[in-house]
Amino acid sequence: MEVSNLLTVLRAPARVQAKSRPDRSDQLSARVRRRLVTSLYSQPSSLAIGALATFSAAIVSAWIANLPQLYVAAVVLLLIAVARVTAALGLSPDSEGNSTATLELVYEIGAFSYALVLGCTAAYTILIGTQTQVEVLMVANALGYGIGVTARNAGRLTIAIGQLCLTCLPIALACFLTGSLGFIALGITILLLIPAMISIASNIFKVLRDSIAAAETSKKLADKMQVLARTDVVTGLANRAGLNHAMVETMMAVDNDSRLALIWIDLDRFKEVNDLLGHPIGDRVLSEVAKRLSGVSPEGGTVARFGGDEFIVFCPIDDRKDSEKLASEIHAEIMRPFRIDGERLEVRASLGVALLPDHGDDADTLMQSADLALYHAKVGGRAQTCFFDSSMTRDLVRRREIEGELRAALQRDELSIFFQPILDLETGRIKTFEALVRWFHPVKGELRPDEFIPVAEETGVIVTLGNWITAQAARVAASWPEDVTIAVNLSPLQIRAPGAALGIKNALREAGLDPRRLELEVTESLFVEDNHSTAAFIDELSEIGVRFALDDFGTGYSSLGYINKYPFSKIKVDRSFVSGAQVGRKSDAIIRAVAEMGTTLGMDIVAEGLETIEQVQAVKDAGCNLGQGYYFSRAVPDYLAAMLLAQERDSTSKEATG
Ligand code: C2E
Ligand code: CA
Ligand code: CA
């Protein structure tokens, strides 16, 4: 696929050339001819110097011979010379407005008339037989001019030969007409001179023509290579180099107050298409995406493929609304199912958009902004569009800092585990503590897990961090009464890492904690990419008694299929249903339905985020049997958790004895 595409790209210009070869060679020779004609007009000063020399010779001859006819000839020569220099200066051969034929004709008229007048003047001095010095002066001048100009104008052979003949033939004719031996010999010499000069001029002409043609050809080849270097072989779109070039060109071409949009498109999970269906299919999907993007991209825009599964559309727009419309068109185009070899394929994409001049006034800044926006689109759940926002830069700086410090923080003991109780709403007793990680940064202060857990996931530190958290939590829990369990949050990445189950088992063994006292909280996002390793992980740990809780229920994809498929012992209803903005009859009904389902299936239902007594009462009425939230307690350090338990046991024993 890739090879055949490469061949298509390589062949494409060649095909065009083959189809229209006659035109092309005509075009080439037209350009060569233009260059040659242009060379006639180069250095009008040489024309002026030559004219001055012949004019002075004619004036001197006229004065010596005292012949008014020679004065007339001198003046005519001067007038022609002035007209020619004026024409050379006035007609700009570089401007396309003057056709090659016009330039050539103007030059021809001047050159031929000058040569003819000069040749005839010299011939006249021989015919009337004036002083020898006058004859020598005029003949030498005319022959010198004829020979010199033949070499100079070899670029246009007809002009060169014409000028040579028009100066030499009248002189040769005059020589023969005198009938004297010396002049006849001179006439013969001049006649022999003509073919010799023609041969020299035509050699010069050939060399000139060939070297101009060669230069043209190599320029063409260089242009073609440049086009190839800027083209992506798989899709035929511009590649990175092509995009850079097009961006510079576009930015230079538009007015200062016009706007441009840079839309960075990343196909979601394209790696899976490649892995499952193979690269040839992957390449065809990319080509199809390229075609669709080119279809929606506005006129004057550039569509480029930017490595792997990323594309860029760079185009002029009227306003932000315009770019929003374009982004949603791109989304719709990519989401339209593909049909490849009869297979139906669905592809989704995340888009990051940056506008010029709003989000950057040069290509680099614009790219960075769009890249950041794309990043936000991807972490915000994929298959969406994000426009650049200046807060993204601040976020990025902070993320980078966190990224750089997280590993060291683990070693420097800056992280610790806090424990938040989960209570039985009926008895008010603590059933479980949820382990929540805290980072006490020496400069930034306390960092919330929401800020650094995603960074840990991205950088892969989550595996080490997660194992450390489980081990710490298990060790603390081992000191609690037997009936109190510990809940640990696991991120999907941690579960998919090789040896994940083993890490948990080791933590339990080292802490000496009964696996039945460990509960792992997972979110629905784990099941979006349902794969084998998730099932194996859950099976392996359930077998030894570890329990699983479904966290943040109701916020994600909420398919009930996996509740049935996996052995969950607990569902945690997300706090947005309890204390969120949309709390009301609807959320109440949802909690009720979930609680009912939980009771039927024998699962515990936890209401998260309980902050007031009213909320506690409401979720209890709705059927939740467990509760967690600031109303009961915030997450506290281990010694306070132990104190909470001790107090509780104290009061129950007092109750029992009292
Ligand atoms: P989560 O698993 O839903 O944890 C509950 C979060 O809600 C905690 O925030 C807790 O402090 C907060 N919370 C508890 N009661 C209330 C309340 O009454 N009102 C309000 N407004 N909030 C309440 P925290 O500790 O900031 O953790 C945030 C999230 O970070 C957690 O959400 C969890 O997804 C993640 N996380 C925390 N610790 C870990 C960990 O050790 N490993 C992993 N993988 N993720 C963790
Ligand atoms: Ca949790
Ligand atoms: Ca939760």
Side-chain angles (χ1 to χ4, degrees):
M1 178 71 192
E2 212 158 295
V3 173
S4 73
N5 256 313
L6 174 65
L7 289 179
T8 323
V9 174
L10 284 170
R11 262 189 227 127
R15 267 207 306 263
V16 175
Q17 197 170 26
K19 209 168 55 191
S20 53
R21 185 159 288 146
D23 296 12
R24 285 258 166 159
S25 67
D26 279 1
Q27 271 173 23
L28 180 73
S29 57
R31 271 204 305 278
V32 174
R33 185 168 160 202
R34 177 83 186 190
R35 293 269 300 268
L36 290 169
V37 170
T38 308
S39 77
L40 296 177
Y41 279 87
S42 63
Q43 293 175 313
S45 57
S46 72
L47 271 183
I49 294 167
L52 202 67
T54 39
F55 172 71
S56 338
I59 287 288
V60 171
S61 305
W63 184 69
I64 295 171
N66 197 20
L67 279 171
Q69 295 90 323
L70 286 186
Y71 280 114
V72 173
V75 171
V76 172
L77 282 174
L78 185 67
L79 288 177
I80 298 173
V82 169
R84 292 183 70 195
V85 173
T86 316
L89 293 174
L91 282 174
S92 159
D94 296 330
S95 118
E96 292 293 323
N98 299 317
S99 75
T100 310
T102 314
L103 289 171
E104 206 169 353
L105 185 69
V106 169
Y107 192 90
E108 233 163 36
I109 293 170
F112 287 169
S113 45
Y114 194 84
L116 186 65
V117 173
L118 188 59
C120 289
T121 311
Y124 176 71
T125 57
I126 294 170
L127 279 178
I128 59 165
T130 63
Q131 290 101 314
T132 315
Q133 50 176 319
V134 172
E135 288 170 1
V136 170
L137 187 57
M138 283 315 293
V139 169
N141 231 293
L143 289 181
Y145 174 83
I147 291 166
V149 97
T150 310
R152 180 190 186 274
N153 293 348
R156 287 318 288 147
L157 214 47
T158 37
I159 297 179
I161 295 171
Q163 281 178 294
L164 182 68
C165 293
L166 289 172
T167 40
C168 294
L169 287 179
I171 301 172
L173 188 66
C175 287
F176 292 128
L177 287 178
T178 56
S180 64
L181 187 61
F183 275 121
I184 290 173
L186 181 60
I188 293 170
T189 319
I190 291 172
L191 284 186
L192 290 176
L193 198 68
I194 293 174
M197 275 318 294
I198 289 175
S199 150
I200 290 170
S202 63
N203 272 338
I204 296 176
F205 169 73
K206 274 189 205 125
V207 170
L208 259 177
R209 184 199 55 197
D210 291 351
S211 63
I212 291 175
E216 286 275 333
T217 313
S218 63
K219 185 179 175 299
K220 269 233 168 54
L221 214 66
D223 287 350
K224 202 156 125 186
M225 294 308 287
Q226 202 167 43
V227 169
L228 281 178
R230 289 178 183 156
T231 307
D232 168 51
V233 288
V234 175
T235 59
L237 295 178
N239 59 12
R240 201 174 277 244
L243 175 73
N244 287 343
H245 177 77
M247 279 180 86
V248 173
E249 298 256 292
T250 313
M251 285 164 88
M252 284 198 316
V254 298
D255 318 330
N256 273 350
D257 51 351
S258 54
R259 281 171 166 222
L260 294 163
L262 191 129
I263 305 181
W264 198 319
I265 302 143
D266 185 309
L267 305 184
D268 293 339
R269 305 205 186 88
F270 186 72
K271 194 178 167 294
E272 284 167 29
V273 174
N274 267 339
D275 290 351
L276 293 173
L277 305 172
H279 282 265
I281 300 281
D283 282 355
R284 281 169 63 184
V285 173
L286 291 175
S287 296
E288 186 59 33
V289 169
K291 222 185 281 168
R292 293 184 185 184
L293 288 179
S294 305
V296 286
S297 160
E299 209 169 303
T302 303
V303 183
R305 177 169 171 235
F306 216 64
D309 55 358
E310 294 182 21
F311 293 86
I312 279 178
V313 174
F314 183 64
C315 60
I317 44 147
D318 295 334
D319 49 29
R320 185 178 163 122
K321 256 222 171 85
D322 204 15
S323 60
E324 280 166 7
K325 199 171 135 253
L326 178 61
S328 67
E329 275 171 16
I330 290 176
H331 252 304
E333 273 302 303
I334 293 179
M335 282 183 21
R336 207 153 43 81
F338 292 85
R339 222 167 242 296
I340 286 168
D341 283 352
E343 279 230 43
R344 197 184 128 101
L345 260 171
E346 279 180 33
V347 175
R348 305 213 291 176
S350 303
L351 272 65
V353 188
L355 307 179
L356 180 124
D358 318 46
H359 307 143
D361 45 19
D362 60 78
D364 279 349
T365 321
L366 205 61
M367 293 284 284
Q368 273 166 19
S369 303
D371 190 17
L372 254 178
L374 174 65
Y375 170 80
H376 275 252
K378 282 200 284 192
V379 295
R382 297 168 189 266
Q384 54 173 319
T385 300
C386 272
F387 275 73
F388 175 76
D389 186 288
S390 56
S391 68
M392 291 176 181
T393 320
R394 287 196 298 277
D395 284 1
L396 181 76
V397 171
R398 195 165 164 96
R399 278 187 101 86
R400 291 252 161 87
E401 285 170 8
I402 289 175
E403 198 179 305
E405 292 169 336
L406 190 55
R407 254 175 239 274
L410 247 174
Q411 275 143 22
R412 284 202 297 250
D413 260 353
E414 287 171 17
L415 296 170
S416 51
I417 315 288
F418 273 40
F419 301 88
Q420 189 180 30
I422 299 173
L423 290 88
D424 184 323
L425 291 175
E426 205 57 58
T427 63
R429 285 176 69 94
I430 297 171
K431 300 265 290 192
T432 309
F433 275 102
E434 178 176 1
L436 295 164
V437 66
R438 296 284 178 267
W439 180 355
F440 296 96
H441 191 280
V443 180
K444 294 190 179 78
E446 185 184 333
L447 291 173
R448 306 287 295 183
D450 287 335
E451 206 171 349
F452 63 87
I453 292 286
V455 179
E457 288 179 334
E458 250 169 63
T459 50
V461 179
I462 191 68
V463 177
T464 321
L465 180 64
N467 283 337
W468 179 82
I469 292 168
T470 315
Q472 291 288 105
R475 197 172 316 136
V476 174
S479 65
W480 297 335
E482 294 272 308
D483 58 340
V484 179
T485 57
I486 176 81
V488 175
N489 292 285
L490 288 191
S491 77
L493 253 119
Q494 209 179 329
I495 295 172
R496 290 193 203 111
L502 195 67
I504 308 268
K505 283 181 178 170
N506 284 345
L508 286 169
R509 194 164 21 84
E510 273 163 34
L513 189 76
D514 181 349
R516 280 169 301 187
R517 289 179 63 198
L518 176 67
E519 206 167 79
L520 298 175
E521 295 193 1
V522 299
T523 55
E524 292 163 303
S525 63
L526 179 64
F527 305 103
V528 177
E529 288 174 58
D530 199 325
N531 65 14
H532 190 68
S533 60
T534 308
F537 176 86
I538 295 180
D539 284 349
E540 189 176 344
L541 291 173
S542 310
E543 241 163 57
I544 60 162
V546 174
R547 283 177 295 171
F548 285 86
L550 190 55
D551 202 358
D552 302 344
F553 186 77
T555 54
Y557 301 83
S558 299
S559 143
L560 297 179
Y562 46 77
I563 294 187
N564 196 26
K565 189 171 169 194
Y566 296 105
F568 290 111
S569 59
K570 198 181 262 181
I571 291 179
K572 299 185 81 177
V573 179
D574 191 70
R575 68 168 177 269
S576 57
F577 292 93
V578 175
S579 52
Q582 286 104 28
V583 175
R585 283 198 17 229
K586 225 176 183 172
S587 60
D588 197 56
I590 293 172
I591 299 179
R592 247 168 232 286
V594 176
E596 205 167 304
M597 176 187 71
T599 321
T600 318
L601 297 175
M603 291 192 268
D604 287 325
I605 306 297
V606 188
E608 290 187 301
L610 297 173
E611 293 181 357
T612 63
I613 179 74
E614 289 78 19
Q615 288 166 352
V616 175
Q617 200 53 52
V619 298
K620 208 172 142 188
D621 290 348
C624 296
N625 64 326
L626 301 176
Q628 175 183 13
Y630 296 165
Y631 175 73
F632 302 113
S633 167
R634 290 186 177 250
V636 294
D638 54 358
Y639 67 94
L640 280 180
M643 232 161 81
L644 282 176
L645 285 172
Q647 269 172 8
E648 192 183 84
R649 307 283 135 156
D650 231 27
S651 62
T652 30
S653 62
K654 267 192 202 130
E655 262 166 41
T657 53

